[in-house]
Amino acid sequence: MRKMRRKGLASMAVQTVASTSNPTVDLGPAAALSCRECGHRVPLGPVFACEECFGPLEIAYDFSAYDTEELRRRIEAGPANIWRYAPLLPVPADVADKPNINPGWTKLVKADNLARELGVTGGLYVKDDSGNPTHSFKDRVVAQALEAARAFGFTTLSCSSTGNLAGAVGAAAARAGFRSCVFIPHDLEQGKVVMAAVYGGELVGIEGNYDDVNRFCSELIGDPAGEGWGFVNVNLRPYYAEGSKTLAYEICEQLGWRLPDQLVVPIASGSQLTKIDKGLQELIKLGLVEDRPYKIFGAQAEGCSPVSTAFKAGHDVVRPQKPNTIAKSLAIGNPADGPYVLDIARRTGGAVEDVTDEQVVDAIKLLARTEGIFAETAGGVTVGVTRKLIQDGVLDPTKTTVVLNTGDGLKTLDAVAGTGLTATIRPSLESFREAGLA
Ligand SMILES: Cc1ncc(COP(=O)(O)O)c(C=O)c1O
Ligand SMILES: [Zn+2]
């Protein structure tokens, strides 16, 4: 393990909770937790760091009984949400019958107008995850964490959040009958705050940035005050993270069970990008898609670009930054999965790039003007980075490319403040003509 990486993970040791051996837990094909660094396996439980080396734990599956064509038929006959992929997720077989908000199966939009503007000839698609129940991809990950919380007997759902996750946890908890208490930086966009508060759970603003919020939650887990709490992105993180695999599954199924050549994915903690790669690898191994090369590109805002800075410098460790960007949902200065993102970008022949806040706003408007999709700032980051990578000759415009929009522009209206009325006129044709609109 790399020196700096070990240092980062050692600081997580205090967050480790006792490994519960729980052979009766039914989380479908999930067989155990396995350390990403040393491979050490432990039974399924609310743990997230390896007791041997402090490496992150992730779900190990037993897919050995699956026949490819039978699995494909089963998926295709499944519901129009993430539960069509239940055989590949850490959830019980009857998950679709339980109360949850059923995210996923969002649109894969063939973005021909945007493609023309950007000079893409190989097919450009926007995976529009603003279409989820709380208008961001976070509903996918929370849905997995909810099933783990049920399995481990938690009664309160919690999280540290840059905004979208707080709303997703609030909604999922409301529907499933859990208490929720979520933590956010106190100065988030109004749209994010309202979306997180409206579901009736407790919403706590912390005086500090996301990294401060996350540190606070780690302390709370170790305290009696946090007992019985499932923190979706801390002690339930191995389960939570798997939800992002469904983006990979959906994209490939929607392309006719085909891998795209290139994907552009936003990075905050880096979890989503690493699990999209895991999902693509699983589809290849299961024979559901043909094995051929794909490239994954990561996207950050310049004002919070620890991973792209490391990528460009050729480093394999990520130096934390203090975030300062309008892309607040991506404002994680110390990304837990940063080193794994670097590995994946390099292994697949992709890259990690960043754009300025001005370019983020331009990209939000470009996507809205060309495709009628109103993205939040995170979507502005991916579209902006896509444009930059094409201009720099890094992303191949002749290849099939999927750009992720992970959230809804209605949550970050301030980013496009100043966009408004073309004219104000009297209710008369004369006034209409005077304004030069005829
Ligand atoms: C809209 C949006 N997109 C992308 C991300 C990135 O997620 P990850 O932390 O998995 O990198 C986030 C995280 O909060 C988000 O809110
Ligand atoms: Zn380990």
Side-chain angles (χ1 to χ4, degrees), residues 374-393:
F374 184 22
E376 78 139 88
T377 44
V381 168
T382 50
V383 173
V385 162
T386 302
R387 173 152 67 177
K388 188 168 176 181
L389 289 171
I390 292 168
Q391 281 165 355
D392 292 349

Side-chain angles (χ1 to χ4, degrees), residues 136-138 162 164 266-273 329-330 332 376 378 406-407:
S136 92
F137 93 99
K138 293 289 184 183
T162 57
N164 284 311
I267 302 165
S269 72
S271 171
Q272 183 188 47
L273 188 148
S329 55
L330 303 182
I332 296 185
E376 78 139 88
T406 48

Side-chain angles (χ1 to χ4, degrees), residues 9 54 83 87 101 114 180 206 235 243 309 325 339 346 351 383 395:
L9 293 168
F54 307 121
W83 303 132
I101 58 175
L114 180 62
S180 73
I206 301 271
N235 57 352
T309 301
T325 169
R346 290 185 178 129
V383 173
L395 198 132

Side-chain angles (χ1 to χ4, degrees), residues 27-36 41-42 44-45 47 56-63 88-91 144 148 152 236-243 245 275 278 282:
L27 289 173
L33 293 171
S34 163
C35 174
R36 199 158 171 164
R41 279 166 86 104
V42 292
L44 298 171
V47 285
L57 297 173
E58 64 176 357
I59 313 278
Y61 294 93
D62 181 6
F63 293 152
L88 306 177
L89 296 169
V91 294
Q144 317 303 313
F152 303 136
L236 298 177
R237 190 171 182 85
Y239 309 89
Y240 155 97
E242 296 294 291
K245 292 193 309 177
K275 296 306 173 188
K278 188 180 183 192
E282 284 174 354

